[in-house]
Amino acid sequence: MKKRLSAFLTALLLCLLLLPLTVTTARAADTDKIVNYDITVEPSVDDGSLLFTVSFDWKVLETLDHGTELKIGIPNGAIRERKALTDSIERLSNDNSYMYVYLNRTVKAGETVHFAYSWVQQYMYTLDGDAVNFDYTPGWFPDFKIDHMTVTWKSPAGVDGKVRYEADDPDCWSASGETVTGRNLPHGSTVRLIVDYPYWPVGLNEGMTRENIPEDYMAGYSDDGDGWIIPLIVVVLIVVIFIVIPYLATRRDGYAGGFGTHYVFVNNLWYPAGADGKPKPGSTGTVHKPKPPVTHSSGGFGGGSRGGGFGGGGFGGGSHCACASSCACACACACAGGGRAGCSAKNLYGAVKLNEKLSRALTEKTK
């Protein structure tokens, strides 16, 4: 028994060590495709807030039912004047990480739906004397491809600034004036806009800089390069729940340490076992082996109403973030994910990047 358990745990450890090499080898098929993705950003001279206008031509590769939410990340929860700009949007809502777009009809596989909305975003600038800086990374979609994307920065009239960009796929991006254009973007392609104004005509409030964003408005998590940690934890939990616990339970007839008492059969009687595997000193034997304790489970992996996957927020998708992937600004503007909400299975294979064949094998062990 001990040898079998030791061999099993050794194999499990090897699987976990090899996991980073294997879990990224398969990607679930895209459920959507972005045909056009256009963003316009207009700074306000008066208070330094940003007016965002976002427009999508979103092609659905698998039917999107009426009531399904599309979630697109926002820099933080300090927004105002949220507004739907097309009749295709039934309503909008938001939290600190996402804008939730509710479409007003079912969109069938192969259709492309157009929608647009806007909002005013606060806590987006930094100050250095009279100089003002904005550092903005528009939303990217790890699980979707984008045919065409533009980001247009509209400087206030009479305010001279310098707009530059940094892209992870330079061959896909080009710039003309204050507009940056991306074409045939692969999964997760990003571009970062850095905008510097040497002089701002109005003194802006130091308390409204992105370093001073209140905790209540901070996004749910930071996309700072350690995004593999959460998926790895999820995979370990799946292995423990679906394999280790059932294995221990079956090997000990339902009596495993922490889940009940282990019994041994000695001289035609059942005794509670001690740490050495022998009858516990002072215990009383019984003719019939006691039944295992009854356990009741609740909850599960099912997806919440917003975000699918493991009861809520979900992984993957696109985000809007006013900062680059640096620790210093992660606290001021934590990038959030986006995509469809309520797709727990797709999150498991696509966002966690767990091999689909392996995932189904793990699931089969629970049946």
Side-chain angles (χ1 to χ4, degrees), residues 134-155:
F134 295 92
D135 191 340
Y136 171 58
T137 301
W140 64 91
F141 290 81
D143 296 321
F144 303 158
K145 293 181 179 179
I146 300 175
D147 287 345
H148 184 268
M149 177 177 177
T150 61
V151 186
T152 300
W153 190 277
K154 289 188 175 181
S155 294

Side-chain angles (χ1 to χ4, degrees), residues 22-46:
T22 59
V23 297
T24 58
T25 58
R27 175 187 290 275
D30 294 359
T31 57
D32 302 291
K33 182 178 183 179
I34 309 300
V35 180
N36 288 299
Y37 176 16
D38 299 313
I39 306 166
T40 301
V41 190
E42 301 179 64
S44 167
V45 172
D46 295 332

Side-chain angles (χ1 to χ4, degrees), residues 134-321:
F134 295 92
D135 191 340
Y136 171 58
T137 301
W140 64 91
F141 290 81
D143 296 321
F144 303 158
K145 293 181 179 179
I146 300 175
D147 287 345
H148 184 268
M149 177 177 177
T150 61
V151 186
T152 300
W153 190 277
K154 289 188 175 181
S155 294
V159 183
D160 294 327
K162 181 180 180 181
V163 179
R164 53 195 171 93
Y165 77 95
E166 297 176 357
D168 58 353
D169 297 303
D171 292 340
C172 298
W173 297 90
S174 61
S176 176
E178 294 187 325
T179 297
V180 180
T181 302
R183 294 180 175 84
N184 300 318
L185 303 179
H187 298 86
S189 182
T190 61
V191 65
R192 173 188 175 193
L193 270 67
I194 303 101
V195 187
D196 296 303
Y197 294 98
Y199 173 77
W200 199 261
V202 176
L204 297 179
N205 187 347
E206 180 73 35
M208 296 296 290
T209 61
R210 65 173 178 256
E211 294 92 342
N212 291 315
I213 180 173
E215 186 176 351
D216 290 348
Y217 290 137
M218 288 185 181
Y221 72 96
S222 173
D223 189 2
D224 57 2
D226 293 330
W228 59 271
I229 295 177
I230 292 177
L232 181 59
I233 292 174
V234 170
V235 172
V236 172
L237 287 175
I238 291 174
V239 172
V240 171
I241 293 171
F242 291 163
I243 297 180
V244 176
I245 293 176
Y247 177 85
L248 293 176
T250 57
R251 300 309 298 174
R252 293 197 173 191
D253 299 324
Y255 297 94
F259 297 93
T261 303
H262 179 50
Y263 286 81
V264 293
F265 190 69
V266 178
N267 295 332
N268 298 317
L269 293 176
W270 290 98
Y271 292 87
D276 58 358
K278 298 178 182 179
K280 188 178 296 184
S283 60
T284 302
T286 58
V287 175
H288 300 288
K289 183 179 180 180
K291 294 181 179 180
V294 177
T295 59
H296 300 278
S297 61
S298 62
F301 293 99
S305 62
R306 294 181 171 179
F310 309 100
F315 308 96
S319 67
H320 290 275
C321 186

Side-chain angles (χ1 to χ4, degrees), residues 74 76-79 82 93-100 306:
I74 55 178
N76 59 64
I79 70 174
R82 189 180 62 214
S93 66
N94 74 276
D95 55 23
N96 286 347
S97 298
Y98 301 106
M99 183 74 74
Y100 297 95
R306 294 181 171 179

